[in-house]
Amino acid sequence: MPLVSVVIPAFNAEAFLARSVGSAQAQTLRDIEILIVDDGSTDGTLDLARQLAVADPRVKVIAARRNGGPAAARNLGLEAAQGQWIALLDADDAFESGRLARLAGVARECGADLLADNLLLEGDDGTREPMLPPGEGASCAPVSAAQFLLGNLPDPARPRKSYGFLKPLMCRAFLEAKGLRYDESLRFAEDFAFYLRCFSAGGRFYLLQEPLYRYRLRGDSLTAHHSTEDLRRLQQLDAQLLRQAVGAPPDYRRALKRHKQSIDQRLQWRVVIDEVKRGAWLGALGASLRGWHVFGYVSGQLAGEAWRRLGPGRARAAET
């Protein structure tokens, strides 16, 4: 039995997969298996994965019958994993070489069910910065469900910050004992929803400040282009969790209500955009007036968009 199973869901990732798998193969911790889950790719991803498996017996390939989305691909990996710990790795991301050894050691010391490290955000322009600011996450800092929810609220000072992006090392025995799997109806924020289910099952979540996971920022990623339906499913998830939170700690309920309000606002802004795109101006106006907590957010977004399009610089350019 390997110590760590690295699960790599891959869909049309031919351009990035070798780098991602290579970062797992280069770990100082050698007692690992690497599970590449091809999610019905239409490019050369599956062929490349099989080539990588031939070259390294630690690499195994799981081919989905059809494209089921990232949650379904993760579930296939969880079902096949044999390691004591499970490490998720997106097909366009990479590990620092000492990551798995460091996390496995700290997780044992902390008694963690899930242990996440900081993310090193890498832009296409070569920029690199940690997602979490200094001081957020000590050598082994416990994270409550309320803190996790608040860590997913929009932060203008750090627009890239979201605890839902974290990729924790997870104890397989805990996941199996609680019967935890991803919600396959979600193609956006599926990790966020899964971690909340882990909290609900009593999972002990810890956080490290060290950025050992290299997270590639891509403009065409699913997280960068969430749809109205994506946000609606997330809104429904928050509503379901609120209904189930009777008797939960007050700080958790407050944080969950704040998160739902944020999703309400973003969803209605998305609805306004959809209505404007199809020329339904009355529908856009109606959507913007749906509740005061939504109206303030949407009107602010509209004002910002108007300023961007029609601000002084644009106006001067039009006059010349």
Side-chain angles (χ1 to χ4, degrees), residues 55-241:
D56 186 342
R58 297 177 301 168
V59 179
K60 302 175 178 63
V61 179
I62 303 165
R65 297 181 200 176
R66 58 180 179 80
N67 175 255
R74 282 165 168 74
N75 281 342
L76 288 173
L78 294 182
E79 293 291 342
Q82 297 296 310
Q84 296 178 37
W85 299 92
I86 294 174
L88 296 175
L89 175 59
D90 286 348
D92 53 353
D93 295 338
F95 291 157
E96 295 291 348
S97 62
R99 181 179 190 259
L100 295 183
R102 172 68 172 148
L103 292 189
V106 174
R108 284 194 299 266
E109 293 172 9
C110 294
D113 296 311
L114 300 94
L115 173 67
D117 52 344
N118 202 346
L119 303 181
L120 186 63
L121 304 179
E122 298 183 328
D124 287 335
D125 57 359
T127 57
R128 302 174 77 186
E129 66 168 332
M131 184 182 78
L132 302 179
E136 190 164 339
S139 59
C140 191
V143 177
S144 70
Q147 289 170 323
F148 177 79
L149 282 162
L150 295 177
N152 281 277
L153 293 176
D155 181 354
R158 300 188 75 86
R160 296 290 188 181
K161 176 186 167 184
S162 175
Y163 278 21
F165 292 167
L166 297 172
K167 294 291 189 287
L169 188 73
M170 303 182 291
C171 177
R172 187 166 70 90
F174 166 73
L175 300 183
E176 295 298 325
K178 302 299 183 179
L180 292 165
R181 291 295 183 267
Y182 280 81
D183 182 347
E184 297 185 9
S185 71
L186 297 174
R187 288 180 177 248
F188 164 69
E190 69 283 347
D191 288 319
F192 165 81
F194 181 71
Y195 302 153
L196 276 183
R197 289 190 171 89
C198 290
F199 278 112
S200 297
R204 295 163 296 185
F205 194 113
Y206 288 81
L207 182 61
L208 282 178
Q209 172 61 219
E210 300 165 54
L212 302 174
Y213 185 103
R214 294 161 62 185
Y215 186 99
R216 186 166 180 265
L217 297 171
R218 291 170 51 199
D220 61 346
S221 69
L222 289 175
T223 51
H225 296 285
H226 46 264
S227 69
T228 304
E229 192 55 38
D230 290 331
L231 289 169
R232 204 178 302 282
R233 289 197 185 99
L234 196 51
Q235 182 190 56
Q236 291 167 354
L237 173 65
D238 278 352
Q240 176 188 357
L241 290 171

